[in-house]
Amino acid sequence: MDLQIALLLGQDGIVNGAIYGLMAVALVLVFSITRIIFIPQGEFVAFGALTMAMMQGGKVPSTLWLLVVVALLSLAVDLWRMSRGDLVNWGASLLWSVAMPLVAAVLALVIKPGALLLQALTTLCIITPLGPLMYRLVYRPIADATVLLLLIVSVAMHGVMVGLGLLFFGAEGSRTPAFSEAQFQLGDMTISGQSLVVIGVALVLVGALYAFFGGSMIGKALRATAINRVGARLMGVPTALAGDTSFALAALIGAVSGLLIAPLTTVYYDTGFLIGLKGFVAAIIAGLASYPIALAGALLVGLLEAFSSFWASAYKEVLVFTLIIPVLWWRSRSSRHVEEDEE
Amino acid sequence: MKRLAKLGFVTAVLAATCSSVWADINVGVVVSTTGPAASLGIPEKNTFALLPTTMGGQKVNYIILDDASDTTAAVANTRKLISESKADVIIGSSTTPNSLAMIDVVAENKTPMMTLGASARIISPMDAKKAWVFKTPQNDAMMAGAIVDHMAKAGVKTAAYIGFNDAYGEGWLQEFKKAAEAKGIKLVATEAFSRTDTSVTGQALKIMAAKPDAVLVGGSGTPAALPEKTLKERGFKGKYYQTHGVANADFLRVGGKDVEGTMLPAGPVLVAHQLPDSHPATKSAVAYVDAYEAKYGKGSAATFGAHVWDSALVLAAAVPEALKKAQPGTEAFRVALRDAMENVKDIAGAHGVFTMTPTDHVGIQHGVVMVRIENGTWKFTP
């Protein structure tokens, strides 16, 4: 191995690590606010990428119909809850069940975007509302259940979404054109524009999340919910809103990741799972709590993967998941974690 | 097709006279219509709709189960088909690992099986268990031999291999190594990747560092496009070879201009309409492609489905022999069917001509043609 190969592998590792990092950040976000270990996070990646690919193939993306169906179901559930006398936050309901699907439908059916960026925007408009709608239909009724139950439901949702993915997109994969065809020469190394786009978008997203949680009122309310659910509710923070928002962000991050990797690799209906799993490893390194450590962990996973694929490609997956063990051991020694109290 | 029509006529007459006496023939099918091998399983499953509904005067039921590309599910499905559906013969599964796992079950229950998997390891070395297993897809060895012959003719001295990190990739590596050594081609790098990998940069760099004249990608379906695309991106200038596992339209769509000029060995059915009339598989191959495309749309036929077509041809030839000895649904029938399948001769299928013997359960001749990818289509190169 010479320096040039090491640099190329490093570049590959960092680009993949950035994607795993986004996954990890989304997982930490969802877990810290709702206590849900969100296994289907990776599926948003595949849905995002394949929705975009379908639009480029000149077809109306099937995910739009999924969105419409899920939105109507969620609306029906809200109406039923109102008829039972429950308090329904109609502002949020109308936003996710009516306004966003309408915008997505207009974009996908009427405007039929041809430009790359507009297609990307349409994809985001279709995928993002799926997050909060999924939360409303599946997780909200069991929001106070144990972490284990929430995890089991997550695994089931993963199964459902992979199945839907196969139904919508078929068994074979797709690729999309790159956002940037540029090539940069740095010494004797070539850096592709697309990999810079990946890293750039990842950094911007993480930066934006940082500003959101540090600066905005909603961000602070979310953090309050994360720290103490009951306390936040007593202070007037609507915890259901926290669920909506965290799932919207998770779906958005997933869809963005999908758009970012689709030009770099072939995406299949089940590609998301392994990406999500590696993000999950990174999130675990961070104890499902810290964003910066999750990012660092993701970089570690990405680099480990790149270098082990060079040295011993047949054992790559084994190496990646085995080398994580000492890190986890060290984490479990050094962090004093509080057992979640089971009511 | 004519043969089938004739068969159908005889069938109808026989069916009218004695169908009430005998039970139906149950064909248990295990294919991977979901999961990573779905691109193989779906055309295979589609092909069953084109098959004859009677054989040797008996009604044939096809009971199709999906194994989700999962070995455990393939074994469970096989057990279920044999014990609950009283299958007289099993067709499947789509992949080598699944087929290997099913051998124990069919041998234990004395049920003949026709695999759609490619590896020669499924049927050789021949032993008491594998005596129950037949195979219509070409052996890897035949395909590897065709590739190596082509490499030798093109003046390739050193080659690299990158394949799936599973039984498919491993099987190809062994066959390719054997064939290459025999022709004096040196294997300078062997790498592995997984179907779900999103990046193979590490492997590509290692291959480029070894500077081979040609590289062979041992993968199937669209995942096999990734190494080739990565190597092209990194500027590898050597010759590219793929296996017959990529012979479907989706590979061309995903590969795009990066797979132009790639050579691969394939069953004649892939280029059915370009074959010369003198090729023994032409008639059946054209019949299959036309029947499939009439039902599922233009350009939809894939070589994988044709293995089912060929299996049915072999089965249709063996069933009348077996019916002379026993009734469907009994062990005696299954044993007789196995014996009859072992002795079928000169069955012209879509992938070649089949002549089985007790030691050779593939028995395919004229089964390989070399194909080049040109302008996004398969081009027959004699």
Side-chain angles (χ1 to χ4, degrees):
Chain A
M1 167 180 285
D2 56 23
L3 184 66
Q4 194 191 356
I5 289 180
L7 284 174
L8 284 170
L9 287 176
Q11 186 196 353
D12 189 54
I14 290 170
V15 171
N16 278 326
I19 298 290
Y20 300 151
L22 285 176
M23 291 292 105
V25 166
L27 286 165
V28 170
L29 173 80
V30 170
F31 180 78
S32 61
I33 293 173
T34 62
R35 299 176 306 129
I36 294 166
I37 295 172
F38 194 48
I39 310 285
Q41 176 63 37
E43 265 63 73
F44 286 125
V45 179
F47 273 42
L50 293 169
T51 300
M52 176 96 160
M54 245 181 134
M55 245 183 295
Q56 277 162 358
K59 281 177 265 182
V60 176
S62 323
T63 35
L64 179 66
W65 308 125
L66 175 70
L67 175 62
V68 170
V69 170
V70 177
L72 289 177
L73 274 177
S74 168
L75 206 58
V77 169
D78 279 340
L79 283 171
W80 175 72
R81 282 175 15 138
M82 191 178 70
S83 73
R84 278 193 1 173
D86 287 358
L87 210 63
V88 175
N89 178 355
W90 281 107
S93 289
L94 290 177
L95 172 68
W96 298 120
S97 308
V98 180
M100 287 297 290
L102 261 183
V103 172
V106 167
L107 275 171
L109 294 174
V110 182
I111 299 180
K112 288 197 178 126
L116 210 56
L117 280 176
L118 205 57
Q119 282 176 339
L121 182 72
T122 311
T123 305
L124 296 184
C125 282
I126 294 175
I127 303 298
T128 310
L130 282 175
L133 289 171
M134 186 203 266
Y135 176 76
R136 288 168 159 257
L137 280 174
V138 180
Y139 292 105
R140 191 171 54 182
I142 52 165
D144 293 319
T146 59
V147 170
L148 180 64
L149 182 73
L150 292 169
L151 174 65
I152 293 170
V153 171
S154 283
V155 172
M157 282 312 292
H158 159 70
V160 170
M161 284 182 76
V162 170
L164 285 175
L166 178 66
L167 186 70
F168 291 159
F169 310 113
E172 289 292 7
S174 293
R175 270 179 182 239
T176 58
F179 286 101
S180 159
E181 297 278 4
Q183 300 272 343
F184 302 96
Q185 217 57 43
L186 196 82
D188 43 353
M189 189 169 74
T190 317
I191 299 172
S192 72
Q194 182 64 25
S195 56
L196 289 181
V197 171
V198 172
I199 296 168
V201 171
L203 286 178
V204 167
L205 257 179
V206 173
L209 281 176
Y210 181 77
F212 173 70
F213 283 108
S216 77
M217 196 61 203
I218 302 179
K220 284 177 180 162
L222 286 178
R223 271 169 64 205
T225 319
I227 294 162
N228 188 329
R229 237 178 120 74
V230 180
R233 208 181 285 160
L234 289 175
M235 290 298 113
V237 175
T239 45
L241 175 75
D244 281 356
T245 319
S246 61
F247 268 74
L249 284 171
L252 178 73
I253 293 171
V256 168
S257 314
L259 297 180
L260 290 176
I261 57 157
L264 293 172
T265 182
T266 321
V267 179
Y268 303 86
Y269 73 96
D270 60 352
T271 299
F273 180 62
L274 221 57
I275 297 176
L277 194 62
K278 282 169 189 157
F280 185 63
V281 170
I284 291 286
I285 290 175
L288 280 169
S290 157
Y291 296 104
I293 300 180
L295 265 185
L299 273 185
L300 174 73
V301 174
L303 288 171
L304 266 178
E305 192 179 46
F307 282 91
S308 52
S309 76
F310 182 83
W311 276 311
S313 58
Y315 304 103
K316 187 191 80 178
E317 232 66 91
V318 180
L319 284 174
V320 169
F321 289 114
T322 314
L323 289 173
I324 289 304
I325 291 176
V327 179
L328 292 178
W329 179 74
W330 169 74
R331 283 286 306 169
S332 66
R333 301 264 310 175
S334 64
S335 75
R336 246 178 285 120
H337 66 285
V338 187
E339 279 295 331
E340 194 212 351
D341 43 343
E342 313 265 331
E343 287 111 296
Chain B
M1 216 49 218
K2 226 178 215 161
R3 185 192 297 266
L4 285 178
K6 223 184 268 171
L7 202 73
F9 177 67
V10 177
T11 299
V13 175
L14 279 172
T17 51
C18 53
S19 63
S20 54
V21 186
W22 286 339
D24 295 349
I25 297 170
N26 289 322
V27 178
V29 180
V30 183
V31 282
S32 309
T33 53
T34 58
S39 62
L40 282 69
I42 290 169
E44 284 163 4
K45 180 180 164 230
N46 287 346
T47 301
F48 282 96
L50 314 171
L51 296 183
T53 49
T54 53
M55 278 181 190
Q58 293 300 302
K59 188 166 175 295
V60 182
N61 302 321
Y62 300 101
I63 305 139
I64 304 173
L65 297 183
D66 169 33
D67 64 22
S69 312
D70 175 49
T71 311
T72 321
V75 171
N77 283 350
T78 312
R79 282 196 192 285
K80 191 172 161 195
L81 287 167
I82 292 173
S83 61
E84 285 176 26
S85 310
K86 303 270 173 277
D88 295 300
V89 54
I90 299 285
I91 296 184
S93 174
S94 310
T95 63
T96 297
N98 289 7
S99 300
L100 285 172
M102 286 156 63
I103 294 176
D104 282 337
V105 186
V106 294
E108 180 189 310
N109 292 290
K110 293 196 169 26
T111 308
M113 161 172 142
M114 307 194 78
T115 175
L116 307 170
S119 172
R121 288 190 297 143
I122 304 172
I123 41 98
S124 68
M126 184 56 69
D127 57 25
K129 278 182 183 169
K130 287 175 180 167
W132 291 95
V133 186
F134 297 85
K135 179 163 106 71
T136 52
Q138 299 84 346
N139 280 343
D140 299 351
M142 294 174 64
M143 295 294 193
I147 290 181
V148 170
D149 285 347
H150 191 272
M151 282 182 174
K153 253 189 260 164
V156 170
K157 296 272 178 285
T158 53
Y161 176 84
I162 174 166
F164 281 162
N165 57 355
D166 63 11
Y168 185 88
E170 275 300 309
W172 258 94
L173 175 58
Q174 282 164 23
E175 297 304 337
F176 180 57
K177 206 188 256 171
K178 237 186 282 167
E181 271 165 12
K183 285 267 179 188
I185 293 173
K186 208 165 151 242
L187 201 55
V188 289
T190 55
E191 294 293 312
F193 72 110
S194 116
R195 288 169 204 259
T196 47
D197 273 359
T198 51
S199 161
V200 291
T201 309
Q203 293 94 319
L205 290 172
K206 195 136 181 213
I207 286 176
M208 290 180 67
K211 296 193 174 55
D213 295 336
V215 62
L216 168 64
V217 182
S220 64
T222 39
L226 184 63
E228 193 166 343
K229 280 186 100 88
T230 308
L231 281 164
K232 276 263 163 75
E233 261 163 35
R234 299 284 166 206
F236 177 70
K237 294 277 188 295
K239 291 186 170 57
Y240 292 90
Y241 289 84
Q242 290 273 0
T243 69
H244 57 301
V246 303
N248 68 358
D250 289 298
F251 177 77
L252 295 176
R253 173 176 59 82
V254 168
K257 61 181 190 318
D258 287 336
V259 299
E260 281 291 309
T262 306
M263 295 296 302
L264 63 139
V269 69
L270 182 65
V271 287
H273 286 283
Q274 298 171 35
L275 289 176
D277 287 340
S278 57
H279 197 286
T282 307
K283 212 168 139 198
S284 187
V286 169
Y288 171 71
V289 171
D290 289 350
Y292 193 96
E293 296 192 343
K295 192 164 170 67
Y296 299 105
K298 195 137 184 56
S300 58
T303 58
F304 312 114
H307 295 311
V308 171
W309 177 265
D310 291 347
S311 302
L313 288 176
V314 172
L315 191 62
V319 161
E321 292 300 313
L323 280 174
K324 284 180 196 159
K325 290 183 189 151
Q327 281 190 31
T330 61
E331 187 183 315
F333 179 74
R334 299 200 297 270
V335 173
L337 189 60
R338 193 211 75 87
D339 294 345
M341 276 158 72
E342 209 165 64
N343 291 311
V344 296
K345 274 194 181 54
D346 299 326
I347 307 289
H351 270 285
V353 181
F354 298 89
T355 302
M356 305 277 182
T357 67
T359 47
D360 183 3
H361 279 194
V362 192
I364 185 171
Q365 282 127 27
H366 310 288
V368 193
V369 294
M370 283 305 281
V371 173
R372 183 201 301 277
I373 300 176
E374 254 179 57
N375 304 321
T377 57
W378 315 106
K379 188 93 186 137
F380 173 60
T381 56

